Amino acid sequence: MDTAPIQLDNRTGKALDSHAVVLEICEFSGYKIYPSRGRLYVTSDSKTHRFLSSKTESLFKQRKNNRSLLWTVMYRKVNNKGVKGEVAKKRSRRAVKYNRAVVGASWDTINARRSETTAVRAEAVAKAKASRKDEAAKRKARVAQKSN
């Protein structure tokens, strides 16, 4: 039996499928580098850098900042470009209503007032006005007695 040697992915070290296409990522622009494309740059300290084209390699060597170049993936990430479709609509919360008593009136009293008809309420208002008039008249009579 002939067994072919297992190919390993350079980056991850995992076994490669014979039909899988390994895509590299350009270190400067962030774009995909397809097989047989791109450039490999090795620095004096043995670090390898993969670039999509001579343009990206040249910009890297000039020490340009990829965050400031409008066409790079890093610029788009930093400045939140093209993310509007992914952001979900923010849900607004509804206020929850509570039935609570108010100082001086219990919840039963408030419900009783709400269920009153206009005729009953008008009658109660008339009684209250009459009692205030009587109290005012009594006060006036007391003040008049004291002054005499």
Side-chain angles (χ1 to χ4, degrees):
M1 275 179 103
D2 290 338
T3 57
I6 298 171
Q7 288 183 323
L8 299 177
D9 185 358
N10 293 337
R11 287 178 298 148
T12 59
K14 294 181 180 177
L16 287 176
D17 183 14
S18 61
H19 300 291
V21 176
V22 178
L23 298 179
E24 302 288 340
I25 302 292
C26 177
E27 219 170 280
F28 188 81
S29 67
Y31 292 142
K32 294 175 188 172
I33 305 171
Y34 285 89
S36 77
R37 301 279 180 218
R39 296 172 143 233
L40 181 66
Y41 176 67
V42 182
T43 56
S44 58
D45 59 347
S46 301
K47 287 186 180 177
T48 58
H49 303 279
R50 296 190 179 273
F51 300 108
L52 178 64
S53 61
S54 59
K55 172 185 176 181
T56 56
E57 184 182 6
S58 172
L59 290 167
F60 176 80
K61 286 179 179 176
Q62 294 172 47
R63 298 184 183 277
K64 297 287 183 188
N65 188 353
N66 58 0
R67 290 176 184 85
S68 62
L69 295 170
L70 304 176
W71 54 272
T72 61
V73 172
M74 277 304 294
Y75 173 85
R76 295 184 69 77
K77 281 183 184 173
V78 169
N79 294 290
N80 299 323
K81 302 292 181 185
V83 240
K84 290 182 181 175
E86 296 173 18
V87 176
K89 185 183 174 188
K90 189 174 180 181
R91 290 189 292 170
S92 58
R93 297 181 71 188
R94 280 193 173 166
V96 179
K97 292 185 179 181
Y98 292 102
N99 297 329
R100 291 188 287 189
V102 182
V103 176
S106 67
W107 181 239
D108 298 327
T109 312
I110 293 169
N111 269 342
R113 283 265 177 95
R114 277 187 186 166
S115 60
E116 280 180 356
T117 60
T118 52
V120 174
R121 189 166 289 155
E123 196 176 307
V125 169
K127 277 185 184 178
K129 282 183 181 178
S131 68
R132 279 196 207 111
K133 275 187 181 179
D134 291 342
E135 286 176 23
K138 286 178 185 176
R139 257 188 265 124
K140 217 175 195 182
R142 269 190 251 135
V143 170
Q145 280 180 351
K146 284 183 182 178
S147 63
N148 287 339

